[in-house]
Short mmCIF file of all heavy atoms in Angstrom, two decimals:
data_model
loop_
_atom_site.label_atom_id
_atom_site.label_comp_id
_atom_site.label_asym_id
_atom_site.label_seq_id
_atom_site.Cartn_x
_atom_site.Cartn_y
_atom_site.Cartn_z
N VAL Y 24 121.88 173.01 75.07
CA VAL Y 24 121.43 174.42 75.04
C VAL Y 24 122.02 175.09 73.86
O VAL Y 24 123.26 175.09 73.63
CB VAL Y 24 121.78 175.26 76.35
CG1 VAL Y 24 121.33 176.66 76.19
CG2 VAL Y 24 121.20 174.47 77.54
N THR Y 25 121.27 175.78 73.01
CA THR Y 25 121.72 176.45 71.82
C THR Y 25 120.95 177.82 71.69
O THR Y 25 119.90 177.88 72.20
CB THR Y 25 121.60 175.65 70.55
OG1 THR Y 25 122.00 176.33 69.47
CG2 THR Y 25 120.10 175.30 70.30
N GLU Y 26 121.46 178.71 71.01
CA GLU Y 26 120.70 179.97 70.67
C GLU Y 26 119.96 179.85 69.37
O GLU Y 26 119.07 180.62 69.06
CB GLU Y 26 121.72 181.16 70.61
CG GLU Y 26 120.90 182.45 70.41
CD GLU Y 26 121.86 183.74 70.58
OE1 GLU Y 26 122.74 183.74 71.51
OE2 GLU Y 26 121.66 184.58 69.74
N GLU Y 27 120.33 178.87 68.49
CA GLU Y 27 119.61 178.62 67.24
C GLU Y 27 118.25 178.10 67.53
O GLU Y 27 117.96 177.37 68.57
CB GLU Y 27 120.36 177.60 66.50
CG GLU Y 27 121.55 178.16 65.75
CD GLU Y 27 121.96 177.04 64.68
OE1 GLU Y 27 122.37 175.95 65.04
OE2 GLU Y 27 122.02 177.44 63.47
N PRO Y 28 117.28 178.29 66.60
CA PRO Y 28 116.09 177.48 66.72
C PRO Y 28 116.44 176.00 66.63
O PRO Y 28 117.25 175.63 65.90
CB PRO Y 28 115.30 177.99 65.42
CG PRO Y 28 115.83 179.30 65.16
CD PRO Y 28 117.20 179.28 65.53
N SER Y 29 115.83 175.24 67.49
CA SER Y 29 116.26 173.95 67.68
C SER Y 29 115.88 172.90 66.61
O SER Y 29 116.57 171.87 66.45
CB SER Y 29 115.77 173.35 69.05
OG SER Y 29 114.36 173.46 69.06
N ASN Y 30 114.85 173.11 65.88
CA ASN Y 30 114.45 172.27 64.78
C ASN Y 30 115.49 172.11 63.80
O ASN Y 30 116.04 173.07 63.32
CB ASN Y 30 113.15 172.71 64.16
CG ASN Y 30 111.92 172.34 64.91
OD1 ASN Y 30 112.04 171.82 66.08
ND2 ASN Y 30 110.75 172.61 64.44
N ASN Y 31 115.97 170.90 63.41
CA ASN Y 31 116.88 170.60 62.41
C ASN Y 31 118.29 171.26 62.60
O ASN Y 31 118.93 171.59 61.78
CB ASN Y 31 116.36 171.10 61.04
CG ASN Y 31 115.02 170.51 60.70
OD1 ASN Y 31 114.80 169.33 60.78
ND2 ASN Y 31 114.07 171.39 60.23
N SER Y 32 118.58 171.40 63.86
CA SER Y 32 119.81 172.14 64.26
C SER Y 32 120.94 171.20 64.59
O SER Y 32 120.84 170.01 64.82
CB SER Y 32 119.48 173.03 65.46
OG SER Y 32 119.16 172.26 66.60
N PHE Y 33 122.15 171.86 64.73
CA PHE Y 33 123.34 171.14 65.31
C PHE Y 33 123.01 170.57 66.65
O PHE Y 33 123.36 169.47 66.93
CB PHE Y 33 124.53 172.16 65.35
CG PHE Y 33 125.65 171.63 66.17
CD1 PHE Y 33 126.58 170.81 65.62
CD2 PHE Y 33 125.82 172.10 67.48
CE1 PHE Y 33 127.67 170.35 66.36
CE2 PHE Y 33 126.89 171.63 68.24
CZ PHE Y 33 127.80 170.82 67.69
N ALA Y 34 122.30 171.37 67.47
CA ALA Y 34 122.07 170.88 68.88
C ALA Y 34 121.14 169.69 68.86
O ALA Y 34 121.41 168.74 69.61
CB ALA Y 34 121.34 172.04 69.65
N ARG Y 35 120.17 169.66 67.92
CA ARG Y 35 119.20 168.51 67.88
C ARG Y 35 119.99 167.36 67.37
O ARG Y 35 119.73 166.17 67.86
CB ARG Y 35 118.04 168.90 67.02
CG ARG Y 35 117.02 167.93 66.97
CD ARG Y 35 116.29 167.64 68.32
NE ARG Y 35 115.67 168.74 68.97
CZ ARG Y 35 114.41 169.29 68.70
NH1 ARG Y 35 113.68 168.78 67.71
NH2 ARG Y 35 113.97 170.31 69.36
N ALA Y 36 120.87 167.52 66.45
CA ALA Y 36 121.71 166.35 65.93
C ALA Y 36 122.60 165.89 66.99
O ALA Y 36 122.74 164.51 67.13
CB ALA Y 36 122.46 166.84 64.68
N LEU Y 37 123.11 166.70 67.79
CA LEU Y 37 124.00 166.24 68.92
C LEU Y 37 123.22 165.57 69.94
O LEU Y 37 123.66 164.48 70.46
CB LEU Y 37 124.77 167.49 69.47
CG LEU Y 37 125.64 167.19 70.71
CD1 LEU Y 37 126.66 166.19 70.41
CD2 LEU Y 37 126.27 168.50 71.19
N ALA Y 38 122.07 165.98 70.17
CA ALA Y 38 121.13 165.36 71.16
C ALA Y 38 120.78 163.93 70.63
O ALA Y 38 120.81 162.97 71.52
CB ALA Y 38 119.84 166.08 71.33
N GLY Y 39 120.53 163.77 69.39
CA GLY Y 39 120.31 162.50 68.78
C GLY Y 39 121.52 161.55 68.94
O GLY Y 39 121.35 160.34 69.26
N LYS Y 40 122.73 162.06 68.76
CA LYS Y 40 123.92 161.27 68.88
C LYS Y 40 124.16 160.84 70.34
O LYS Y 40 124.50 159.69 70.64
CB LYS Y 40 125.13 162.14 68.43
CG LYS Y 40 126.51 161.43 68.56
CD LYS Y 40 126.64 160.24 67.72
CE LYS Y 40 128.12 159.68 67.77
NZ LYS Y 40 128.32 158.42 67.14
N ILE Y 41 123.85 161.72 71.31
CA ILE Y 41 123.99 161.42 72.65
C ILE Y 41 122.97 160.23 73.08
O ILE Y 41 123.29 159.37 73.72
CB ILE Y 41 123.73 162.66 73.56
CG1 ILE Y 41 124.87 163.69 73.28
CG2 ILE Y 41 123.64 162.27 75.04
CD1 ILE Y 41 124.63 165.06 73.95
N GLN Y 42 121.73 160.42 72.53
CA GLN Y 42 120.73 159.44 72.85
C GLN Y 42 121.14 158.06 72.29
O GLN Y 42 121.02 157.03 72.96
CB GLN Y 42 119.44 159.88 72.19
CG GLN Y 42 118.19 159.03 72.55
CD GLN Y 42 117.20 159.82 73.46
OE1 GLN Y 42 117.58 160.61 74.26
NE2 GLN Y 42 115.97 159.54 73.21
N GLU Y 43 121.73 158.08 71.15
CA GLU Y 43 122.20 156.82 70.46
C GLU Y 43 123.28 156.17 71.27
O GLU Y 43 123.28 154.95 71.48
CB GLU Y 43 122.64 157.26 69.04
CG GLU Y 43 122.99 156.02 68.12
CD GLU Y 43 123.41 156.48 66.79
OE1 GLU Y 43 122.77 157.35 66.18
OE2 GLU Y 43 124.49 156.04 66.34
N ASP Y 44 124.19 157.02 71.73
CA ASP Y 44 125.43 156.40 72.35
C ASP Y 44 125.25 156.10 73.85
O ASP Y 44 125.93 155.20 74.36
CB ASP Y 44 126.58 157.32 72.18
CG ASP Y 44 127.20 157.34 70.90
OD1 ASP Y 44 126.62 156.78 69.87
OD2 ASP Y 44 128.26 157.97 70.65
N CYS Y 45 124.29 156.79 74.46
CA CYS Y 45 124.19 156.75 75.94
C CYS Y 45 122.83 156.19 76.40
O CYS Y 45 122.39 156.27 77.53
CB CYS Y 45 124.30 158.14 76.53
SG CYS Y 45 125.93 158.86 76.19
N PHE Y 46 122.07 155.57 75.49
CA PHE Y 46 120.69 155.16 75.71
C PHE Y 46 120.54 154.33 77.02
O PHE Y 46 119.66 154.65 77.83
CB PHE Y 46 120.17 154.41 74.53
CG PHE Y 46 118.70 153.98 74.69
CD1 PHE Y 46 117.66 154.90 74.49
CD2 PHE Y 46 118.27 152.66 74.98
CE1 PHE Y 46 116.31 154.56 74.68
CE2 PHE Y 46 116.99 152.32 75.16
CZ PHE Y 46 116.00 153.29 74.96
N LYS Y 47 121.33 153.33 77.26
CA LYS Y 47 121.15 152.50 78.34
C LYS Y 47 121.58 153.12 79.65
O LYS Y 47 121.26 152.48 80.77
CB LYS Y 47 121.91 151.11 78.16
CG LYS Y 47 123.42 151.36 78.05
CD LYS Y 47 124.01 149.88 77.82
CE LYS Y 47 125.60 149.98 77.80
NZ LYS Y 47 126.12 148.68 77.45
N TYR Y 48 122.17 154.32 79.62
CA TYR Y 48 122.57 155.02 80.76
C TYR Y 48 121.52 156.12 81.17
O TYR Y 48 121.70 156.73 82.23
CB TYR Y 48 123.93 155.65 80.69
CG TYR Y 48 125.05 154.73 80.40
CD1 TYR Y 48 125.47 154.32 79.05
CD2 TYR Y 48 125.76 154.09 81.42
CE1 TYR Y 48 126.41 153.49 78.77
CE2 TYR Y 48 126.77 153.14 81.04
CZ TYR Y 48 127.16 152.84 79.85
OH TYR Y 48 128.09 151.98 79.51
N LEU Y 49 120.71 156.39 80.26
CA LEU Y 49 119.73 157.55 80.51
C LEU Y 49 118.59 157.25 81.40
O LEU Y 49 117.95 156.17 81.35
CB LEU Y 49 119.20 158.04 79.07
CG LEU Y 49 120.24 158.62 78.16
CD1 LEU Y 49 119.63 158.84 76.78
CD2 LEU Y 49 120.78 159.83 78.71
N ASP Y 50 118.24 158.26 82.22
CA ASP Y 50 117.05 158.21 83.05
C ASP Y 50 115.90 159.13 82.48
O ASP Y 50 114.84 159.22 83.14
CB ASP Y 50 117.48 158.70 84.47
CG ASP Y 50 118.43 157.78 85.12
OD1 ASP Y 50 118.36 156.51 84.94
OD2 ASP Y 50 119.37 158.34 85.77
N ALA Y 51 116.15 159.80 81.41
CA ALA Y 51 115.17 160.65 80.78
C ALA Y 51 115.60 160.91 79.36
O ALA Y 51 116.77 160.66 78.92
CB ALA Y 51 115.11 162.02 81.54
N PRO Y 52 114.69 161.38 78.40
CA PRO Y 52 115.08 161.72 77.16
C PRO Y 52 116.10 162.78 77.05
O PRO Y 52 116.07 163.72 77.96
CB PRO Y 52 113.73 162.12 76.48
CG PRO Y 52 112.68 161.69 77.33
CD PRO Y 52 113.32 161.58 78.71
N VAL Y 53 117.02 162.79 76.12
CA VAL Y 53 117.88 163.92 75.97
C VAL Y 53 116.98 165.14 75.34
O VAL Y 53 116.33 164.91 74.39
CB VAL Y 53 119.02 163.57 74.98
CG1 VAL Y 53 119.88 164.88 74.77
CG2 VAL Y 53 119.85 162.42 75.51
N MET Y 54 117.13 166.20 76.00
CA MET Y 54 116.29 167.41 75.67
C MET Y 54 117.15 168.54 75.12
O MET Y 54 118.33 168.55 75.39
CB MET Y 54 115.47 167.93 76.87
CG MET Y 54 114.43 166.90 77.40
SD MET Y 54 113.40 167.55 78.60
CE MET Y 54 112.33 166.27 78.95
N THR Y 55 116.53 169.39 74.31
CA THR Y 55 117.16 170.67 73.77
C THR Y 55 116.43 171.85 74.10
O THR Y 55 115.12 171.73 74.29
CB THR Y 55 117.40 170.54 72.39
OG1 THR Y 55 116.14 170.46 71.66
CG2 THR Y 55 118.17 169.36 71.88
N ILE Y 56 117.09 172.99 74.20
CA ILE Y 56 116.39 174.22 74.29
C ILE Y 56 117.06 175.18 73.37
O ILE Y 56 118.34 175.27 73.35
CB ILE Y 56 116.27 174.83 75.70
CG1 ILE Y 56 115.49 176.13 75.72
CG2 ILE Y 56 117.68 174.86 76.33
CD1 ILE Y 56 115.16 176.69 77.08
#
């Protein structure tokens, strides 16, 4: 969750890092708002 527009944001980059490191543990895509 961020207050910034999510496109090209710190939050979206963090979501990508989480997806990369936790992929095999995930039950859904990492989402941002």
Side-chain angles (χ1 to χ4, degrees):
V24 178
T25 181
E26 188 173 314
E27 281 193 301
S29 58
N30 281 4
N31 306 310
S32 66
F33 166 81
R35 187 62 59 80
L37 178 56
K40 176 66 173 172
I41 295 168
Q42 188 113 325
E43 185 179 312
D44 286 10
C45 302
F46 182 75
K47 64 183 180 181
Y48 300 91
L49 293 173
D50 298 322
V53 178
M54 295 186 180
T55 60
I56 181 171

